[in-house]
Coordinates of all heavy atoms in Angstrom, one line a residue:
M1 N -12.4 -10.9 0.0 CA -11.1 -11.1 0.7 C -10.5 -12.4 0.2 O -9.4 -12.6 0.1 CB -11.2 -11.1 2.2 CG -9.9 -11.1 2.8 SD -9.7 -10.3 4.4 CE -10.1 -11.6 5.5
Q2 N -11.4 -13.4 -0.1 CA -10.9 -14.7 -0.6 C -10.2 -14.5 -2.0 O -9.1 -15.2 -2.2 CB -12.1 -15.7 -0.8 CG -11.6 -17.1 -1.1 CD -10.7 -17.7 0.0 OE1 -10.9 -17.4 1.1 NE2 -9.7 -18.5 -0.4
N3 N -10.6 -13.6 -2.8 CA -9.9 -13.4 -4.1 C -8.5 -12.8 -3.8 O -7.6 -13.1 -4.5 CB -10.7 -12.4 -5.0 CG -11.9 -13.0 -5.6 OD1 -12.0 -14.2 -5.6 ND2 -12.8 -12.2 -6.0
A4 N -8.4 -12.0 -2.8 CA -7.1 -11.4 -2.5 C -6.1 -12.4 -2.0 O -4.9 -12.5 -2.3 CB -7.3 -10.3 -1.4
I5 N -6.6 -13.3 -1.1 CA -5.8 -14.5 -0.6 C -5.4 -15.3 -1.8 O -4.2 -15.7 -1.9 CB -6.6 -15.2 0.4 CG1 -6.8 -14.4 1.7 CG2 -5.8 -16.6 0.8 CD1 -7.7 -15.0 2.7
Q6 N -6.3 -15.7 -2.7 CA -6.0 -16.5 -3.9 C -4.9 -15.8 -4.8 O -4.0 -16.4 -5.3 CB -7.2 -16.8 -4.7 CG -7.0 -17.8 -5.8 CD -6.4 -19.2 -5.2 OE1 -7.0 -19.8 -4.3 NE2 -5.3 -19.6 -5.8
Y7 N -5.0 -14.5 -4.9 CA -4.1 -13.7 -5.7 C -2.7 -13.9 -5.1 O -1.7 -14.1 -5.9 CB -4.5 -12.3 -5.7 CG -3.5 -11.3 -6.4 CD1 -3.5 -11.2 -7.7 CD2 -2.6 -10.6 -5.6 CE1 -2.6 -10.4 -8.4 CE2 -1.7 -9.7 -6.3 CZ -1.7 -9.6 -7.6 OH -0.8 -8.8 -8.3
L8 N -2.5 -13.8 -3.8 CA -1.2 -14.0 -3.2 C -0.7 -15.4 -3.4 O 0.5 -15.6 -3.7 CB -1.3 -13.7 -1.7 CG -1.4 -12.2 -1.4 CD1 -1.5 -12.0 0.2 CD2 -0.3 -11.4 -1.9
I9 N -1.6 -16.4 -3.2 CA -1.2 -17.8 -3.4 C -0.7 -18.0 -4.9 O 0.3 -18.6 -5.1 CB -2.3 -18.8 -3.1 CG1 -2.6 -18.7 -1.6 CG2 -2.0 -20.2 -3.6 CD1 -3.9 -19.5 -1.2
D10 N -1.4 -17.4 -5.8 CA -1.1 -17.5 -7.2 C 0.3 -16.8 -7.5 O 1.0 -17.2 -8.5 CB -2.1 -16.9 -8.1 CG -3.4 -17.6 -8.1 OD1 -3.4 -18.8 -7.7 OD2 -4.4 -17.0 -8.6
N11 N 0.7 -15.9 -6.6 CA 2.0 -15.2 -6.8 C 3.1 -15.8 -5.9 O 4.1 -15.1 -5.6 CB 1.8 -13.7 -6.6 CG 1.2 -13.1 -7.8 OD1 1.9 -12.9 -8.8 ND2 -0.1 -12.8 -7.7
G12 N 2.9 -17.0 -5.4 CA 3.9 -17.7 -4.6 C 4.0 -17.4 -3.1 O 5.0 -17.7 -2.5
V13 N 3.0 -16.7 -2.6 CA 3.0 -16.4 -1.2 C 2.2 -17.5 -0.4 O 1.0 -17.7 -0.6 CB 2.3 -15.0 -0.9 CG1 2.3 -14.7 0.6 CG2 3.1 -13.9 -1.7
S14 N 2.9 -18.1 0.5 CA 2.3 -19.2 1.4 C 2.2 -18.6 2.8 O 2.6 -17.5 3.1 CB 3.2 -20.4 1.4 OG 4.4 -20.2 2.0
E15 N 1.6 -19.4 3.7 CA 1.5 -19.0 5.1 C 2.8 -18.7 5.8 O 2.8 -17.9 6.7 CB 0.7 -20.1 5.9 CG -0.7 -20.2 5.5 CD -1.4 -21.3 6.3 OE1 -0.9 -21.7 7.3 OE2 -2.5 -21.7 5.8
K16 N 3.9 -19.3 5.3 CA 5.2 -19.1 5.9 C 6.1 -18.2 5.1 O 7.3 -18.1 5.4 CB 5.9 -20.5 6.1 CG 5.1 -21.4 7.0 CD 5.8 -22.7 7.1 CE 4.9 -23.6 7.9 NZ 5.6 -24.4 8.9
F17 N 5.5 -17.4 4.2 CA 6.2 -16.5 3.4 C 6.9 -15.4 4.3 O 6.2 -14.8 5.2 CB 5.3 -15.8 2.4 CG 6.0 -14.8 1.5 CD1 6.7 -15.3 0.4 CD2 5.9 -13.5 1.7 CE1 7.3 -14.4 -0.4 CE2 6.5 -12.6 0.9 CZ 7.2 -13.0 -0.2
N18 N 8.1 -15.1 4.0 CA 8.8 -14.1 4.8 C 9.8 -13.5 3.8 O 10.9 -13.8 3.7 CB 9.6 -14.7 5.9 CG 10.3 -13.6 6.8 OD1 10.0 -12.4 6.6 ND2 11.2 -14.0 7.6
G19 N 9.3 -12.5 3.0 CA 10.2 -12.0 2.0 C 9.5 -10.7 1.3 O 8.7 -10.0 2.0
A20 N 9.8 -10.6 0.1 CA 9.2 -9.4 -0.7 C 8.7 -9.9 -2.0 O 9.1 -11.0 -2.5 CB 10.3 -8.4 -0.9
L21 N 7.8 -9.1 -2.6 CA 7.3 -9.4 -3.9 C 7.7 -8.2 -4.8 O 7.8 -7.1 -4.3 CB 5.8 -9.4 -3.9 CG 5.1 -10.5 -3.0 CD1 3.6 -10.3 -2.9 CD2 5.4 -11.9 -3.6
Q22 N 8.0 -8.5 -6.0 CA 8.3 -7.5 -7.0 C 7.3 -7.5 -8.2 O 7.0 -8.6 -8.7 CB 9.7 -7.7 -7.6 CG 10.2 -6.7 -8.5 CD 11.6 -6.8 -8.9 OE1 12.4 -7.5 -8.3 NE2 12.0 -6.2 -10.0
F23 N 6.7 -6.4 -8.5 CA 5.7 -6.3 -9.5 C 6.2 -5.2 -10.5 O 6.8 -4.2 -10.2 CB 4.4 -5.8 -9.0 CG 3.8 -6.9 -8.1 CD1 3.9 -6.9 -6.7 CD2 3.0 -7.9 -8.7 CE1 3.4 -7.9 -6.0 CE2 2.4 -8.9 -7.9 CZ 2.6 -8.9 -6.6
D24 N 5.8 -5.5 -11.8 CA 6.0 -4.4 -12.8 C 4.9 -3.3 -12.6 O 3.9 -3.6 -12.1 CB 5.8 -5.0 -14.2 CG 7.0 -6.0 -14.6 OD1 8.1 -5.7 -14.2 OD2 6.7 -6.9 -15.3
I25 N 5.2 -2.2 -13.1 CA 4.3 -1.0 -12.9 C 2.9 -1.3 -13.5 O 2.0 -0.9 -12.9 CB 4.9 0.3 -13.5 CG1 4.2 1.5 -13.1 CG2 5.0 0.2 -15.0 CD1 4.5 2.0 -11.7
I26 N 2.8 -2.1 -14.5 CA 1.5 -2.4 -15.1 C 0.7 -3.3 -14.2 O -0.5 -3.4 -14.4 CB 1.6 -3.0 -16.5 CG1 2.4 -4.3 -16.5 CG2 2.3 -2.0 -17.5 CD1 2.5 -5.0 -17.8
D27 N 1.3 -4.0 -13.3 CA 0.6 -4.9 -12.4 C 0.2 -4.2 -11.0 O -0.5 -4.9 -10.3 CB 1.4 -6.1 -12.1 CG 1.7 -6.9 -13.3 OD1 0.8 -7.0 -14.2 OD2 2.9 -7.5 -13.4
L28 N 0.6 -3.0 -10.8 CA 0.4 -2.4 -9.5 C -1.0 -2.2 -9.2 O -1.4 -2.3 -8.0 CB 1.2 -1.1 -9.4 CG 2.7 -1.3 -9.2 CD1 3.4 0.1 -9.0 CD2 3.0 -2.1 -8.0
Q29 N -1.8 -1.7 -10.1 CA -3.2 -1.5 -9.8 C -3.9 -2.7 -9.3 O -4.6 -2.7 -8.3 CB -4.0 -0.9 -11.0 CG -5.4 -0.6 -10.7 CD -6.1 -0.1 -12.0 OE1 -5.5 0.1 -13.0 NE2 -7.4 0.2 -11.8
N30 N -3.6 -3.9 -9.9 CA -4.2 -5.1 -9.5 C -3.7 -5.5 -8.1 O -4.4 -6.0 -7.3 CB -3.9 -6.2 -10.5 CG -4.7 -7.5 -10.4 OD1 -5.8 -7.4 -9.8 ND2 -4.2 -8.6 -10.8
F31 N -2.4 -5.4 -7.9 CA -1.8 -5.7 -6.7 C -2.4 -4.9 -5.5 O -2.7 -5.4 -4.5 CB -0.3 -5.5 -6.7 CG 0.4 -5.6 -5.4 CD1 0.5 -6.9 -4.7 CD2 1.0 -4.5 -4.7 CE1 1.1 -7.0 -3.5 CE2 1.6 -4.6 -3.5 CZ 1.7 -5.9 -2.9
F32 N -2.5 -3.6 -5.7 CA -3.0 -2.7 -4.7 C -4.5 -3.0 -4.4 O -4.9 -2.8 -3.2 CB -2.8 -1.2 -5.0 CG -1.4 -0.7 -4.8 CD1 -0.7 -0.1 -5.8 CD2 -0.8 -0.8 -3.5 CE1 0.5 0.4 -5.6 CE2 0.5 -0.4 -3.3 CZ 1.1 0.2 -4.3
A33 N -5.2 -3.3 -5.4 CA -6.6 -3.7 -5.1 C -6.7 -4.9 -4.1 O -7.5 -4.9 -3.2 CB -7.4 -4.0 -6.4
H34 N -5.9 -5.9 -4.4 CA -5.9 -7.0 -3.5 C -5.3 -6.7 -2.1 O -5.9 -7.1 -1.1 CB -5.1 -8.2 -4.1 CG -5.9 -8.8 -5.3 ND1 -5.7 -8.4 -6.6 CD2 -6.8 -9.7 -5.3 CE1 -6.5 -9.0 -7.4 NE2 -7.2 -9.9 -6.7
L35 N -4.2 -6.0 -2.1 CA -3.6 -5.6 -0.8 C -4.6 -4.8 0.0 O -4.7 -5.0 1.3 CB -2.3 -4.8 -1.1 CG -1.5 -4.4 0.2 CD1 -1.1 -5.6 1.0 CD2 -0.4 -3.5 -0.2
F36 N -5.3 -3.9 -0.6 CA -6.3 -3.1 0.1 C -7.3 -4.0 0.9 O -7.6 -3.7 2.0 CB -7.1 -2.1 -0.9 CG -8.2 -1.4 -0.2 CD1 -8.1 -0.3 0.5 CD2 -9.5 -1.9 -0.3 CE1 -9.1 0.4 1.1 CE2 -10.6 -1.3 0.3 CZ -10.4 -0.2 1.0
W37 N -7.9 -5.0 0.2 CA -8.9 -5.8 0.8 C -8.3 -6.7 1.9 O -9.0 -6.9 2.9 CB -9.6 -6.6 -0.2 CG -10.6 -5.8 -0.9 CD1 -10.5 -5.4 -2.2 CD2 -11.7 -5.1 -0.4 NE1 -11.6 -4.5 -2.5 CE2 -12.3 -4.3 -1.4 CE3 -12.3 -5.1 0.9 CZ2 -13.4 -3.6 -1.2 CZ3 -13.4 -4.3 1.1 CH2 -14.0 -3.5 0.0
L38 N -7.0 -7.1 1.8 CA -6.4 -7.8 2.9 C -6.2 -7.0 4.1 O -6.5 -7.4 5.2 CB -5.0 -8.4 2.4 CG -5.1 -9.5 1.5 CD1 -3.7 -9.8 0.9 CD2 -5.7 -10.8 2.1
Q39 N -5.7 -5.8 3.9 CA -5.4 -4.9 5.1 C -6.7 -4.4 5.7 O -6.9 -4.3 6.9 CB -4.6 -3.7 4.6 CG -3.1 -4.0 4.4 CD -2.5 -4.4 5.7 OE1 -2.0 -5.5 5.8 NE2 -2.4 -3.6 6.7
R40 N -7.7 -4.0 4.8 CA -8.9 -3.4 5.4 C -9.8 -4.4 6.0 O -10.5 -4.1 7.0 CB -9.7 -2.7 4.2 CG -10.9 -1.9 4.6 CD -10.5 -0.7 5.4 NE -11.7 0.1 5.6 CZ -12.2 0.2 6.9 NH1 -11.6 -0.3 7.9 NH2 -13.2 1.0 7.1
G41 N -9.7 -5.7 5.5 CA -10.6 -6.7 6.0 C -10.1 -7.4 7.2 O -10.7 -8.3 7.8
N42 N -8.8 -7.2 7.6 CA -8.2 -8.0 8.7 C -7.2 -7.1 9.4 O -6.0 -7.1 9.1 CB -7.5 -9.3 8.1 CG -7.1 -10.2 9.2 OD1 -7.1 -9.8 10.4 ND2 -6.6 -11.4 8.8
A43 N -7.7 -6.4 10.4 CA -6.9 -5.5 11.2 C -5.8 -6.2 12.0 O -4.8 -5.5 12.4 CB -7.7 -4.6 12.1
A44 N -5.8 -7.5 12.1 CA -4.8 -8.2 12.8 C -3.5 -8.4 12.0 O -2.5 -8.8 12.5 CB -5.3 -9.6 13.3
L45 N -3.6 -8.2 10.7 CA -2.4 -8.4 9.8 C -1.4 -7.3 10.1 O -1.8 -6.2 10.5 CB -2.8 -8.3 8.4 CG -3.6 -9.5 7.8 CD1 -4.0 -9.2 6.3 CD2 -2.7 -10.8 7.8
P46 N -0.2 -7.6 9.9 CA 0.9 -6.5 10.1 C 0.8 -5.6 8.9 O 0.1 -5.9 7.9 CB 2.2 -7.3 10.1 CG 1.9 -8.6 9.3 CD 0.4 -8.9 9.6
D47 N 1.4 -4.5 9.0 CA 1.5 -3.5 7.9 C 2.4 -4.1 6.8 O 3.4 -4.7 7.1 CB 2.1 -2.2 8.3 CG 1.1 -1.4 9.1 OD1 -0.1 -1.6 9.0 OD2 1.6 -0.5 9.9
F48 N 2.0 -4.0 5.6 CA 2.8 -4.4 4.4 C 3.3 -3.2 3.8 O 2.5 -2.4 3.2 CB 2.0 -5.3 3.5 CG 1.5 -6.5 4.0 CD1 0.2 -6.7 4.5 CD2 2.4 -7.7 4.2 CE1 -0.3 -7.8 5.0 CE2 1.9 -8.8 4.7 CZ 0.6 -8.9 5.2
Y49 N 4.6 -3.0 3.7 CA 5.2 -1.8 3.2 C 5.7 -2.1 1.8 O 6.0 -3.2 1.4 CB 6.4 -1.4 4.0 CG 6.0 -0.8 5.3 CD1 5.8 -1.6 6.4 CD2 5.7 0.6 5.4 CE1 5.4 -1.0 7.6 CE2 5.3 1.1 6.6 CZ 5.2 0.3 7.7 OH 4.8 0.9 8.9
F50 N 5.7 -1.1 0.9 CA 6.2 -1.1 -0.4 C 7.1 0.0 -0.7 O 7.0 1.1 -0.1 CB 5.0 -1.2 -1.4 CG 4.0 -0.1 -1.3 CD1 4.2 1.1 -1.9 CD2 2.9 -0.3 -0.5 CE1 3.3 2.1 -1.8 CE2 2.0 0.7 -0.4 CZ 2.2 1.9 -1.0
M51 N 8.0 -0.2 -1.7 CA 8.8 0.9 -2.2 C 9.2 0.7 -3.6 O 9.1 -0.4 -4.1 CB 10.0 1.1 -1.3 CG 11.1 0.0 -1.4 SD 12.6 0.3 -0.4 CE 12.2 1.5 0.8
D52 N 9.7 1.7 -4.2 CA 10.2 1.6 -5.6 C 11.6 1.1 -5.6 O 12.3 1.0 -4.6 CB 10.1 3.0 -6.3 CG 11.1 4.0 -5.7 OD1 11.1 4.1 -4.4 OD2 11.8 4.7 -6.5
K53 N 12.1 0.6 -6.8 CA 13.4 0.0 -6.9 C 14.5 1.0 -6.4 O 15.5 0.6 -5.9 CB 13.7 -0.4 -8.3 CG 13.2 -1.7 -8.7 CD 13.7 -2.1 -10.1 CE 13.3 -3.5 -10.4 NZ 13.8 -3.9 -11.7
G54 N 14.3 2.3 -6.7 CA 15.3 3.3 -6.3 C 15.3 3.7 -4.9 O 16.1 4.5 -4.4
Q55 N 14.4 3.1 -4.1 CA 14.2 3.4 -2.7 C 14.0 4.9 -2.4 O 14.5 5.5 -1.5 CB 15.4 2.9 -1.9 CG 15.5 1.4 -2.0 CD 16.6 0.8 -1.1 OE1 17.4 1.6 -0.5 NE2 16.7 -0.5 -1.1
N56 N 13.1 5.5 -3.2 CA 12.7 6.9 -3.1 C 11.4 7.1 -2.4 O 11.1 8.1 -1.8 CB 12.6 7.5 -4.5 CG 13.9 7.5 -5.2 OD1 14.9 8.1 -4.8 ND2 13.9 6.8 -6.3
I57 N 10.5 6.1 -2.5 CA 9.2 6.1 -1.9 C 8.9 5.0 -1.0 O 9.2 3.8 -1.4 CB 8.1 6.2 -3.1 CG1 8.4 7.4 -3.9 CG2 6.7 6.2 -2.5 CD1 7.5 7.4 -5.2
L58 N 8.3 5.2 0.1 CA 7.9 4.1 1.0 C 6.4 4.3 1.3 O 6.0 5.4 1.6 CB 8.7 4.2 2.3 CG 8.4 3.1 3.4 CD1 8.8 1.7 2.9 CD2 9.1 3.5 4.7
G59 N 5.6 3.3 1.3 CA 4.2 3.4 1.6 C 3.6 2.2 2.1 O 4.2 1.1 2.1
H60 N 2.4 2.3 2.5 CA 1.6 1.1 2.9 C 0.1 1.6 3.0 O -0.3 2.7 3.0 CB 2.0 0.6 4.3 CG 1.6 1.3 5.5 ND1 2.3 2.5 5.9 CD2 0.6 1.1 6.4 CE1 1.7 2.9 7.0 NE2 0.7 2.1 7.3
I61 N -0.8 0.5 3.1 CA -2.2 0.7 3.3 C -2.5 0.3 4.7 O -2.2 -0.8 5.1 CB -3.0 -0.1 2.2 CG1 -2.7 0.4 0.8 CG2 -4.5 0.1 2.5 CD1 -3.3 -0.5 -0.3
C62 N -3.1 1.2 5.5 CA -3.3 0.9 6.8 C -4.6 0.1 7.0 O -5.4 0.0 6.1 CB -3.3 2.1 7.7 SG -4.7 3.2 7.5
Q63 N -4.9 -0.3 8.3 CA -6.1 -1.0 8.6 C -7.4 -0.2 8.4 O -8.5 -0.8 8.3 CB -6.0 -1.5 10.1 CG -6.1 -0.4 11.1 CD -6.0 -0.9 12.5 OE1 -5.5 -2.0 12.7 NE2 -6.5 -0.1 13.4
F64 N -7.3 1.1 8.3 CA -8.4 1.9 8.0 C -8.7 2.1 6.6 O -9.6 2.8 6.1 CB -8.3 3.3 8.7 CG -8.1 3.1 10.2 CD1 -6.8 3.3 10.8 CD2 -9.1 2.8 11.0 CE1 -6.7 3.1 12.2 CE2 -9.0 2.6 12.4 CZ -7.8 2.8 13.0
G65 N -7.8 1.5 5.7 CA -8.0 1.6 4.3 C -7.3 2.8 3.6 O -7.5 3.1 2.5
N66 N -6.5 3.6 4.4 CA -5.9 4.8 3.9 C -4.5 4.4 3.3 O -3.8 3.5 3.8 CB -5.7 5.8 5.0 CG -7.0 6.4 5.4 OD1 -8.0 6.6 4.7 ND2 -7.1 6.6 6.7
F67 N -4.2 5.1 2.3 CA -2.9 4.9 1.5 C -1.9 5.9 2.1 O -2.0 7.1 2.0 CB -3.2 5.2 0.1 CG -2.1 4.9 -0.9 CD1 -1.7 3.7 -1.2 CD2 -1.4 6.0 -1.4 CE1 -0.7 3.4 -2.1 CE2 -0.4 5.8 -2.3 CZ 0.0 4.5 -2.6
H68 N -0.8 5.4 2.7 CA 0.2 6.2 3.3 C 1.4 6.2 2.3 O 1.9 5.1 1.9 CB 0.6 5.6 4.7 CG -0.4 5.7 5.7 ND1 -0.4 6.7 6.7 CD2 -1.6 5.0 5.9 CE1 -1.5 6.5 7.4 NE2 -2.2 5.5 7.0
L69 N 1.9 7.4 2.0 CA 3.0 7.5 1.1 C 4.0 8.5 1.6 O 3.6 9.6 2.1 CB 2.4 8.0 -0.2 CG 3.3 8.0 -1.4 CD1 3.8 6.6 -1.8 CD2 2.7 8.6 -2.6
G70 N 5.3 8.1 1.7 CA 6.3 9.0 2.1 C 7.5 9.0 1.2 O 7.9 8.0 0.6
A71 N 8.0 10.2 1.0 CA 9.2 10.4 0.2 C 10.4 10.2 1.1 O 10.5 10.7 2.2 CB 9.2 11.8 -0.5
L72 N 11.4 9.6 0.5 CA 12.7 9.3 1.2 C 13.8 10.3 0.8 O 14.9 10.1 1.3 CB 13.1 7.8 1.1 CG 12.1 6.8 1.5 CD1 12.5 5.4 1.3 CD2 11.7 7.0 3.0
N73 N 13.5 11.3 0.0 CA 14.4 12.3 -0.3 C 13.7 13.6 -0.8 O 12.5 13.5 -1.1 CB 15.5 11.9 -1.4 CG 14.9 11.6 -2.7 OD1 14.2 12.4 -3.3 ND2 15.1 10.3 -3.2
K74 N 14.3 14.7 -0.7 CA 13.6 16.0 -1.0 C 13.1 16.1 -2.4 O 12.1 16.7 -2.6 CB 14.6 17.1 -0.6 CG 14.8 17.3 0.9 CD 15.7 18.4 1.2 CE 15.9 18.5 2.7 NZ 16.7 19.6 3.1
S75 N 13.9 15.7 -3.4 CA 13.4 15.8 -4.8 C 12.1 15.0 -5.0 O 11.3 15.5 -5.7 CB 14.5 15.4 -5.7 OG 14.9 14.1 -5.6
V76 N 12.1 13.8 -4.5 CA 10.8 13.0 -4.7 C 9.7 13.6 -3.8 O 8.5 13.6 -4.3 CB 11.1 11.5 -4.3 CG1 9.8 10.7 -4.3 CG2 12.1 11.0 -5.3
D77 N 10.0 14.1 -2.7 CA 9.0 14.8 -1.9 C 8.3 15.9 -2.7 O 7.1 16.1 -2.7 CB 9.6 15.4 -0.6 CG 8.6 15.8 0.4 OD1 7.5 15.1 0.6 OD2 8.7 16.9 1.0
K78 N 9.1 16.7 -3.4 CA 8.6 17.8 -4.2 C 7.7 17.2 -5.4 O 6.6 17.7 -5.6 CB 9.7 18.6 -4.8 CG 9.3 19.8 -5.6 CD 10.5 20.6 -6.1 CE 9.9 21.7 -7.0 NZ 11.1 22.5 -7.6
L79 N 8.2 16.2 -6.0 CA 7.4 15.5 -7.1 C 6.1 15.0 -6.6 O 5.0 15.1 -7.3 CB 8.2 14.5 -7.7 CG 9.4 14.8 -8.6 CD1 10.2 13.6 -9.0 CD2 8.9 15.7 -9.8
I80 N 6.1 14.4 -5.4 CA 4.9 13.8 -4.9 C 3.8 14.9 -4.6 O 2.7 14.9 -4.9 CB 5.1 13.0 -3.6 CG1 5.8 11.7 -4.0 CG2 3.8 12.7 -2.8 CD1 6.3 10.9 -2.8
A81 N 4.4 16.0 -3.9 CA 3.5 17.1 -3.6 C 2.9 17.7 -4.9 O 1.7 18.0 -5.0 CB 4.3 18.2 -2.9
E82 N 3.6 17.9 -6.0 CA 3.1 18.4 -7.3 C 2.1 17.4 -7.9 O 1.0 17.9 -8.3 CB 4.3 18.6 -8.2 CG 5.2 19.7 -7.9 CD 6.5 19.8 -8.7 OE1 6.6 18.9 -9.6 OE2 7.3 20.7 -8.5
D83 N 2.4 16.1 -7.8 CA 1.5 15.2 -8.4 C 0.2 15.0 -7.6 O -0.9 14.8 -8.2 CB 2.1 13.8 -8.6 CG 3.1 13.8 -9.8 OD1 3.1 14.8 -10.6 OD2 4.0 12.9 -9.8
L84 N 0.3 15.1 -6.3 CA -0.9 15.0 -5.5 C -1.9 16.2 -5.8 O -3.1 16.0 -5.8 CB -0.6 15.1 -4.0 CG -0.1 13.8 -3.4 CD1 0.4 13.9 -1.9 CD2 -1.2 12.7 -3.4
N85 N -1.3 17.4 -6.1 CA -2.2 18.5 -6.4 C -3.0 18.2 -7.7 O -4.0 18.8 -7.9 CB -1.4 19.8 -6.5 CG -0.9 20.3 -5.2 OD1 -1.6 20.0 -4.2 ND2 0.2 21.0 -5.2
K86 N -2.4 17.4 -8.6 CA -3.1 17.1 -9.9 C -4.0 15.9 -9.8 O -4.7 15.6 -10.7 CB -2.0 16.8 -10.9 CG -1.1 18.0 -11.2 CD 0.0 17.5 -12.2 CE 1.1 18.6 -12.3 NZ 2.2 18.1 -13.1
S87 N -3.9 15.2 -8.7 CA -4.7 13.9 -8.5 C -6.0 14.1 -7.8 O -6.3 15.2 -7.4 CB -3.8 12.9 -7.8 OG -3.8 13.2 -6.4
K88 N -6.7 13.0 -7.7 CA -8.0 13.0 -6.9 C -7.8 12.6 -5.5 O -8.7 12.5 -4.7 CB -9.0 12.1 -7.6 CG -9.4 12.7 -8.9 CD -10.5 11.8 -9.6 CE -10.9 12.4 -10.9 NZ -11.9 11.5 -11.6
F89 N -6.5 12.4 -5.1 CA -6.2 12.0 -3.7 C -6.5 13.2 -2.8 O -6.3 14.3 -3.2 CB -4.8 11.5 -3.5 CG -4.5 10.1 -4.0 CD1 -3.9 9.9 -5.1 CD2 -4.8 9.1 -3.1 CE1 -3.6 8.6 -5.6 CE2 -4.6 7.8 -3.6 CZ -4.0 7.5 -4.8
Q90 N -6.9 12.9 -1.6 CA -7.0 13.9 -0.6 C -6.1 13.7 0.6 O -6.0 12.5 1.1 CB -8.5 13.9 0.0 CG -9.5 14.3 -1.0 CD -10.9 14.2 -0.4 OE1 -11.1 13.9 0.8 NE2 -11.9 14.5 -1.2
L91 N -5.4 14.7 1.1 CA -4.5 14.5 2.2 C -5.4 14.6 3.5 O -6.2 15.4 3.7 CB -3.5 15.7 2.3 CG -2.5 15.7 1.2 CD1 -1.6 16.9 1.3 CD2 -1.6 14.5 1.2
V92 N -5.1 13.5 4.3 CA -5.9 13.4 5.6 C -4.9 13.2 6.7 O -4.0 12.3 6.6 CB -6.8 12.2 5.5 CG1 -7.6 12.0 6.8 CG2 -7.8 12.3 4.3
E93 N -4.9 14.1 7.6 CA -3.9 14.0 8.7 C -4.6 13.6 10.0 O -5.7 14.1 10.3 CB -3.2 15.3 8.9 CG -2.3 15.6 7.7 CD -1.5 16.8 7.9 OE1 -1.1 17.1 9.0 OE2 -1.2 17.5 6.9
G94 N -4.0 12.7 10.8 CA -4.5 12.4 12.1 C -5.8 11.5 12.1 O -6.4 11.3 13.1
K95 N -6.1 10.8 11.0 CA -7.3 10.0 10.9 C -7.0 8.5 11.1 O -7.9 7.7 11.2 CB -8.0 10.2 9.6 CG -8.4 11.6 9.3 CD -9.6 12.0 10.2 CE -10.0 13.4 9.9 NZ -11.1 13.9 10.7
C96 N -5.7 8.1 11.1 CA -5.4 6.7 11.2 C -5.0 6.2 12.6 O -3.9 5.8 12.8 CB -4.3 6.4 10.2 SG -4.8 6.7 8.5
R97 N -5.9 6.4 13.5 CA -5.7 5.9 14.8 C -7.0 5.5 15.4 O -8.0 5.9 15.0 CB -5.0 6.9 15.7 CG -5.8 8.1 16.0 CD -4.9 9.1 16.8 NE -5.7 10.2 17.4 CZ -6.3 11.2 16.8 NH1 -6.3 11.3 15.5 NH2 -7.0 12.1 17.5
D98 N -6.9 4.5 16.3 CA -8.1 4.1 17.0 C -8.5 5.1 18.0 O -7.8 5.6 18.8 CB -7.8 2.8 17.8 CG -9.0 2.0 18.1 OD1 -10.1 2.5 17.9 OD2 -8.8 0.8 18.5
H99 N -9.8 5.5 17.9 CA -10.3 6.7 18.7 C -10.9 6.2 20.0 O -11.6 7.0 20.7 CB -11.3 7.5 17.9 CG -10.7 8.1 16.7 ND1 -10.0 9.3 16.8 CD2 -10.8 7.8 15.4 CE1 -9.6 9.6 15.6 NE2 -10.1 8.7 14.7
F100 N -10.7 4.9 20.4 CA -11.3 4.4 21.6 C -10.3 4.6 22.7 O -9.2 4.4 22.6 CB -11.7 2.9 21.4 CG -12.8 2.8 20.4 CD1 -12.5 2.3 19.2 CD2 -14.1 3.2 20.7 CE1 -13.5 2.1 18.2 CE2 -15.1 3.1 19.8 CZ -14.8 2.6 18.5

């Protein structure tokens, strides 16, 4: 988790940061790896949402480590459904809640 915190510091995020980060597509894998460990390792953190420039996709990684992705229009929803079928992702419904 310390590497993830250092990654944010290196990208200009301080304790008082209140804004957004923009990454190129080639940097997303690295960004998501760090974001995953921050969210998964600290359930007290708020959800961090992300979207594409065209505002077609909205997503976040929850405290349980699951990747939530939503389409904001019908054409992108269809593309996501097609691409999910080709990927190794598994759709999981109803698993992201505290069972206590």
